[in-house]
C-alpha cells in the first residue's frame, strides 16, 4: 500500500515537471514567432514594409528588397483606382520603382501620392494622359512613356504640372529622364517642357518627325539642362542649324538612322559634345567643306553602317582634337581614309602636326585596301585597333602594317587578328597578314604603271637568255658578211675599180 502511494506521488511530480517544461517551450516558441513576424515587417535597411495583406501585391509582384512594384505583362486594361492604390500605401510597401509596362492601358489618370522614383508605362496603348497626372509623384526622376500612341495633340504641357514653387512654374522638379520613343508624334508643343526645368535626358527616337519644325525646335531649345538627346530613326532630312544654341551643356547626341546626307551644321553649336553617332545616314563623303566643325570635347564618334560612304578626306576629323574612340565600320563602299584625316597644324608652329590621342579605333568590315602609317601618331599607345575584313593590298605601301601594326594588335587584342588577309595581288590573295608578319616577309611594290613586279620574274629571265644567245649570233652574221658570206656573195669589177681608183691632184696636169 505504501509502495502504491509513493509511486502515485512520484507520477504526479513527474507530470507537474513535464507540464512546466511544455509551458516553457510554448512560451519560447511564441516569442520566436513574434520576433519572426517583426523581422518580416522590415527590409534590410530597417524600413517598415507590409503590415497587412495587400490585394495589389497578390496581383503584381512586390519586391521588398528591391523596393519594386512590378505589374508588367499582366494584361491590364486600365490602371488601378484610388482606393486600390490606397491599399498599397496603407500596407507600408516601400516603392522606389513602379513597372506597369507591356499591358493594354489606354489612359493614364492622376496617380496618388507615392515615393516613386522611376515609373515605367512603356509598351501600352496610351493615347490620353490626364492633366497633372504626376502631380503627387514629387520624387519622380525617370518617366518612360515609350511605345505608346501619344500624339502632339494629346501630349500637352499640363500633363507635367507639379506643385507650386516660387522660383519655377509648377515644376515637376526632380524629373531628370523622359522617354517618348516610338509614339505617333510628328511635332512637339513649343511649351511642352515648361514644367520640367531640370530635365537632363530626352528621347524622341523612332517618331517619324521627318523635319524638326519651329515649335519642336523651340521646345528642345528650351531645355537648358539637357545632357542627352536621342533623335535616332526619326527620318530627319536635316537638323535646324541653331537648335543646340541654348542647350550648350549637351554631352550625348544620337542621330543614328536618319536621312542626313552631310555633317549637320547644327554641330557648330554643340561645343561641349562628348558622344556622337551618325550611323546609318546616307552620307557619301566627308571632305572639303563637309567636315566636322570644332568640337574640342568630343571623345566618342561613330560613322558606321553608312552604305554610300566612299571617302573620308583630308582634315575630316582635324578639329576633333579630344577624340579617344572612333568607330568607322561596316561601310561597304569606303575605299579611302585619307592619311591626313586626323592631324592638324600646331597653332604656334604650323609646320608641326598634332593628332588626337585616340585609344580605340574600329575599322572593320570596310572596303579599305591601304592604311597610312601617319593616320595616327601613337599606334603603340592604343588599346584597341580593329582592321579585320578589309581587302588589304599586300605591297610595300602596307609593309608597315606587317612590321609595326600587326605586332601591336597581336599584343593588345589577339582576338582581333582573325580575318586580316591579303586581297591583292592575285598571287597573295587569301594569305594571312599575320603569317607574313611571323615570317618577316618583305612585300614588293607596284610600279608606276600599276604592274606587279612579282609577275615579271620569268619574263626578265627569258629576256636575259635571249640577249645572251643573241650576242654570238649577231657576231657570226657580221663575220659572215665581212668574208663575203663564204663565197655566196662575190664582189663585181666595179667594186674593185672603186677600191683602187685614186683621183689625181691638179699638179699632175
Amino acid at each position: 500500500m505504501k509502495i502504491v502511494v509513493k509511486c502515485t506521488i512520484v507520477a504526479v511530480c513527474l507530470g507537474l515537471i513535464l507540464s512546466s517544461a511544455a509551458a516553457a517551450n510554448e512560451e519560447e516558441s511564441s516569442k520566436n514567432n513574434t520576433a519572426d513576424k517583426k523581422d518580416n515587417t522590415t527590409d534590410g535597411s530597417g524600413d517598415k514594409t507590409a503590415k497587412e495583406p495587400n490585394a495589389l501585391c497578390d496581383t503584381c509582384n512586390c519586391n521588398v528588397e528591391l523596393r519594386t512594384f512590378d505589374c508588367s505583362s499582366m494584361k491590364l486594361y486600365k490602371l488601378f483606382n484610388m482606393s486600390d492604390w490606397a491599399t498599397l500605401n496603407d500596407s507600408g510597401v516601400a516603392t522606389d520603382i513602379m513597372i506597369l509596362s507591356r499591358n493594354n492601358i489606354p489612359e493614364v489618370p492622376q496617380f496618388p501620392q507615392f515615393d516613386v522614383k522611376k515609373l515605367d508605362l512603356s509598351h501600352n496603348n496610351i493615347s490620353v494622359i490626364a492633366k497633372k497626372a504626376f502631380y503627387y509623384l514629387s520624387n519622380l526622376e525617370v518617366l518612360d512613356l515609350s511605345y505608346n500612341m501619344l500624339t502632339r495633340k494629346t501630349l500637352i504641357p499640363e500633363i507635367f504640372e507639379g506643385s507650386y514653387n516660387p522660383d519655377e512654374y509648377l515644376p515637376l522638379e526632380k524629373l531628370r529622364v523622359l522617354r517618348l520613343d516610338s509614339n505617333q508624334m510628328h511635332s512637339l508643343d513649343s511649351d511642352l517642357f515648361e514644367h520640367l526645368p531640370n530635365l537632363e535626358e530626352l528621347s524622341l527616337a523612332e517618331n517619324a518627325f521627318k523635319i524638326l519644325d519651329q515649335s519642336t525646335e523651340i521646345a528642345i531649345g528650351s531645355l537648358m539642362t539637357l545632357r542627352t538627346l536621342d533623335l535616332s530613326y526619326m527620318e530627319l532630312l536635316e537638323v535646324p542649324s541653331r537648335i543646340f544654341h541654348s542647350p550648350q551643356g549637351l554631352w550625348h547626341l544620337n542621330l543614328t538612322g536618319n536621312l542626313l546626307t552631310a555633317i549637320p551644321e547644327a554641330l557648330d553649336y554643340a561645343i561641349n559634345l562628348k558622344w556622337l553617332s551618325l550611323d546609318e545616314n546616307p552620307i557619301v563623303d566627308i571632305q572639303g567643306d563637309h567636315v566636322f566643325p570644332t568640337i574640342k570635347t568630343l571623345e566618342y564618334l561613330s560613322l558606321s553602317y553608312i552604305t554610300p560612304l566612299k571617302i573620308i578626306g583630308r582634315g575630316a576629323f582635324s578639329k576633333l582634337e579630344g577624340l579617344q574612340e572612333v568607330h568607322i565600320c561596316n561601310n561597304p563602299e569606303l575605299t579611302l581614309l585619307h592619311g591626313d584625316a586626323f592631324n592638324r597644324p600646331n597653332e604656334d608652329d604650323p609646320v608641326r602636326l598634332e593628332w588626337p590621342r585616340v585609344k580605340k579605333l574600329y575599322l572593320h568590315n570596310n572596303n579599305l585596301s591601304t592604311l597610312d602609317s601617319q593616320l595616327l601618331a601613337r599606334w603603340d599607345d592604343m588599346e584597341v585597333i580593329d582592321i579585320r575584313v578589309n581587302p588589304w593590298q599586300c605591297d610595300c605601301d602596307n609593309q608597315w602594317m606587317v612590321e609595326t601594326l600587326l605586332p601591336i594588335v597581336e599584343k593588345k587584342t589577339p582576338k582581333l587578328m582573325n580575318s586580316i588577309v591579303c586581297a591583292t595581288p592575285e598571287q597573295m590573295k587569301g594569305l594571312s597578314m599575320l603569317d607574313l608578319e611571323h615570317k618577316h616577309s618583305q612585300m614588293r611594290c607596284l610600279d608606276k604603271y600599276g604592274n606587279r613586279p612579282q609577275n615579271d620574274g620569268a619574263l626578265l629571265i627569258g629576256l636575259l637568255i635571249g640577249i645572251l644567245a643573241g650576242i654570238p649570233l649577231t657576231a657570226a652574221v657580221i663575220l659572215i658578211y665581212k668574208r663575203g658570206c663564204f663565197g655566196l656573195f662575190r664582189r663585181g669589177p666595179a667594186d674593185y675599180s672603186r677600191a683602187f681608183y685614186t683621183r689625181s691632184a691638179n699638179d699632175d696636169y
Side-chain angles (χ1 to χ4, degrees):
M1 185 66 177
K2 290 181 179 181
I3 294 174
V4 174
V5 171
K6 289 181 179 180
C7 290
T8 302
I9 294 172
V10 170
V12 171
C13 292
L14 288 173
L16 292 173
I17 293 172
L18 292 174
S19 298
S20 299
N25 288 336
E26 185 176 352
E27 183 177 356
E28 184 66 23
S29 177
S30 177
K31 289 180 179 180
N32 290 337
N33 289 336
T34 302
D36 290 341
K37 289 180 180 179
K38 289 182 179 180
D39 290 341
N40 288 334
T41 60
T42 60
D43 60 14
S45 62
D47 294 338
K48 291 183 178 180
T49 59
K51 297 177 181 178
E52 57 186 56
N54 179 265
L56 293 188
C57 288
D58 292 337
T59 302
C60 306
N61 180 23
C62 296
N63 191 313
V64 175
E65 294 182 357
L66 298 178
R67 302 170 67 88
T68 300
F69 176 78
D70 187 352
C71 214
S72 60
S73 302
M74 292 295 178
K75 299 181 180 179
L76 299 178
Y77 290 93
K78 65 177 182 178
L79 284 177
F80 307 109
N81 57 38
M82 284 292 186
S83 60
D84 292 330
W85 286 125
T87 62
L88 187 63
N89 270 333
D90 293 341
S91 66
V93 173
T95 304
D96 286 346
I97 301 173
M98 185 174 288
I99 305 173
L100 298 163
S101 63
R102 301 185 183 280
N103 289 293
N104 294 300
I105 301 168
E107 184 175 350
V108 177
Q110 188 178 55
F111 280 86
Q113 186 170 358
F114 285 117
D115 290 332
V116 173
K117 295 180 180 178
K118 179 179 179 180
L119 176 59
D120 187 351
L121 288 164
S122 65
H123 295 274
N124 282 289
N125 290 315
I126 298 171
S127 59
V128 177
I129 302 178
K131 294 180 179 180
K132 298 186 178 183
F134 314 108
Y135 180 88
Y136 294 108
L137 305 182
S138 56
N139 291 319
L140 187 61
E141 297 177 2
V142 179
L143 176 59
D144 193 343
L145 293 169
S146 58
Y147 295 91
N148 282 295
M149 308 293 287
L150 296 171
T151 64
R152 172 178 173 164
K153 184 177 181 181
T154 57
L155 193 67
I156 57 177
E158 291 78 8
I159 289 172
F160 303 109
E161 284 186 9
S163 57
Y164 172 77
N165 186 300
D167 300 320
E168 303 286 350
Y169 178 42
L170 301 176
L172 202 60
E173 56 186 351
K174 290 190 177 182
L175 192 67
R176 299 287 187 273
V177 179
L178 177 60
R179 299 191 179 103
L180 297 170
D181 315 40
S182 297
N183 279 280
Q184 295 184 349
M185 295 181 294
H186 303 286
S187 177
L188 298 179
D189 189 298
S190 59
D191 297 323
L192 181 61
F193 307 119
E194 64 181 351
H195 302 292
L196 306 177
N198 299 309
L199 192 66
E200 296 180 358
E201 181 178 333
L202 173 65
S203 179
L204 298 170
E206 299 183 42
N207 285 281
F209 273 60
K210 298 185 184 297
I211 62 170
L212 298 177
D213 59 18
Q214 186 175 8
S215 63
T216 301
E217 184 178 351
I218 292 172
I220 295 175
S222 69
L223 295 171
M224 307 296 290
T225 57
L226 193 63
R227 295 288 180 267
T228 298
L229 178 61
D230 191 345
L231 300 178
S232 60
Y233 300 101
M234 293 173 60
E235 301 181 21
L236 298 178
L237 295 169
E238 61 181 358
V239 179
S241 60
R242 299 181 182 272
I243 192 171
F244 305 131
H245 181 269
S246 295
Q248 291 190 356
L250 188 65
W251 291 345
H252 188 288
L253 177 60
N254 190 354
L255 291 171
T256 298
N258 285 296
L259 301 175
L260 306 175
T261 57
I263 306 303
E265 294 182 5
L267 295 178
D268 288 344
Y269 293 98
I271 58 176
N272 293 305
L273 205 61
K274 294 184 178 181
W275 191 102
L276 173 63
S277 174
L278 285 164
D279 295 350
E280 299 181 52
N281 280 278
I283 300 171
V284 176
D285 58 61
I286 304 173
Q287 61 178 336
D289 296 331
H290 301 286
V291 299
F292 284 88
T294 301
I295 311 176
K296 295 183 178 181
T297 57
L298 192 67
E299 298 176 357
Y300 176 100
L301 174 64
S302 186
L303 294 164
S304 301
Y305 297 95
I306 303 178
T307 302
L309 182 62
K310 296 181 179 179
I311 299 174
I312 296 178
R314 183 192 301 273
F317 313 121
S318 61
K319 298 177 183 179
L320 308 178
E321 57 187 71
L323 279 178
Q324 296 183 18
E325 183 172 343
V326 181
H327 293 249
I328 305 174
C329 318
N330 297 287
N331 303 305
E333 298 295 324
L334 181 61
T335 57
L336 176 60
L337 176 57
H338 200 283
D340 294 326
F342 287 92
N343 63 48
R344 64 188 182 281
N346 181 273
E347 293 181 359
D348 300 324
D349 183 6
V351 178
R352 179 185 169 191
L353 297 178
E354 295 181 343
W355 287 262
R357 296 297 297 272
V358 176
K359 295 293 184 181
K360 299 178 180 180
L361 178 64
Y362 297 86
L363 296 175
H364 59 82
N365 293 84
N366 292 304
N367 198 23
L368 298 172
S369 59
T370 60
L371 189 65
D372 197 303
S373 62
Q374 300 300 311
L375 182 68
L376 294 169
R378 293 295 306 272
W379 295 97
D380 59 328
D381 196 36
M382 296 178 65
E383 298 173 3
V384 178
I385 305 170
D386 190 350
I387 58 172
R388 295 171 298 162
V389 196
N390 280 282
W392 296 115
Q393 182 173 292
C394 291
D395 63 5
C396 65
D397 290 335
N398 282 336
Q399 182 69 40
W400 80 276
M401 293 176 62
V402 172
E403 294 179 349
T404 304
L405 187 61
L406 291 186
I408 296 173
V409 177
E410 187 175 17
K411 179 181 178 182
K412 298 289 185 69
T413 53
K415 293 182 179 179
L416 300 181
M417 292 300 295
N418 297 327
S419 301
I420 304 177
V421 299
C422 302
T424 56
E426 189 64 29
Q427 289 77 6
M428 302 182 72
K429 185 175 182 179
L431 293 180
S432 169
M433 294 183 76
L434 178 61
D435 291 340
L436 298 179
E437 185 261 320
H438 288 167
K439 295 176 182 178
H440 305 287
S441 300
Q442 293 294 318
M443 298 187 295
R444 302 182 66 183
C445 291
L446 303 178
D447 63 25
K448 65 178 181 179
Y449 302 107
N451 297 318
R452 298 178 173 85
Q454 61 273 15
N455 293 338
D456 300 338
L459 179 62
L460 292 174
I461 292 174
L463 183 60
L464 180 60
I465 294 173
I467 293 173
L468 293 176
I471 291 174
L473 182 60
T474 303
V477 170
I478 293 173
L479 181 61
I480 291 171
Y481 176 78
K482 285 185 175 181
R483 294 191 176 185
C485 299
F486 299 104
L488 295 176
F489 303 99
R490 297 186 180 276
R491 295 178 179 180
D495 294 332
Y496 285 99
S497 65
R498 291 192 189 97
F500 292 99
Y501 171 75
T502 302
R503 185 175 182 176
S504 61
N506 293 331
D507 295 340
D508 294 341
Y509 292 95

